Amino acid sequence: MRQYIIASHGSFSEGIMDSVGMIMGHVQNVTCLTVVPGDSQETVVGKIEELLQSKEENSEVVVLTDVFGGSVTNHFFPYMQTHNIHVITGVNLPLALEILVSDENDELQSVILEAIERGREGMKYLNQIAGS
């Protein structure tokens, strides 16, 4: 069973989940990780390890983080070598929705690449489209 973690600086991850809930209703197997000012590196690592230990053994874990190169993302990097996790940076609502509605029987790498494309497609400069 796929498990999901949305991780961010501050409460952004919880905001994404609130919006996902408004659109999809309750979604199972999703956990938010928030890093707040004052969290030490040890605290963040502890939060990550606690989350990963709470996931079902042998499950695929998809981690959606806010910023490529940010500390939250960087803290997940070592676990890519030791756990069955897939880390995607730059989460936005279209990307999160695409991942969370995906069929677990679909090959995960294809799902992730399609979701990233949907996330990119969701960003538009409306003034340019409207010609103003």
Side-chain angles (χ1 to χ4, degrees), residues 92 94 118-125:
N92 61 22
R118 294 276 187 233
R120 286 185 183 133
E121 291 172 357
M123 293 185 285
K124 307 286 184 198
Y125 181 29

Side-chain angles (χ1 to χ4, degrees), residues 18-31:
D18 285 344
S19 297
V20 166
M22 287 180 65
I23 295 168
M24 297 176 54
H26 178 71
V27 180
Q28 295 183 341
N29 304 325
V30 182
T31 309

